[in-house]
Amino acid sequence: MSLTVQAGRGWVDVRTKRRSDKRWECECRFVSPGGKCSSWISAASAEGYVSRELAFSAGILLGRELAARYAVLTPVETTTYQ
C-alpha cells in the first residue's frame, strides 16, 4: 500500500510492505515540484513495525525530514516553484 503526503516544497511518497514474519516495513522518497525524485529510503527498524499505521508514520516522518534536507541542498530548484 502507498500514499502521498505534501511536505515542504514537494511531496513524499510512502509505501509499506508486509514481511513474511507478519511485521511491516516502509520506504519513502521525496519528489520535488519539478518531478525529480530521491531514491527510496527504508524507514524500517530491524525488527519491523507491528502495524501498517506505525510503518506509515515512520515513513512520513522520515520523508518530511528528507524533504527539508532536499530543500536546503537544492535552493535554486525549490525557490523557483514557490
Side-chain angles (χ1 to χ4, degrees), residues 4-62:
T4 301
V5 182
Q6 288 294 113
R9 296 180 175 102
W11 61 91
V12 175
D13 290 332
V14 181
R15 64 184 179 191
T16 59
K17 183 172 73 170
R18 193 149 196 190
R19 304 186 323 198
S20 61
D21 64 357
K22 307 290 188 211
R23 295 282 185 145
W24 291 88
E25 57 185 42
C26 183
E27 296 178 314
C28 64
R29 70 177 178 179
F30 174 72
V31 182
S32 73
K36 292 185 179 181
C37 301
S38 68
S39 58
W40 287 96
I41 298 173
S42 175
S45 60
E47 61 275 356
Y49 297 100
V50 295
S51 71
R52 179 185 299 162
E53 292 80 11
L54 288 174
F56 271 130
S57 294
I60 291 168
L61 289 172
L62 180 61

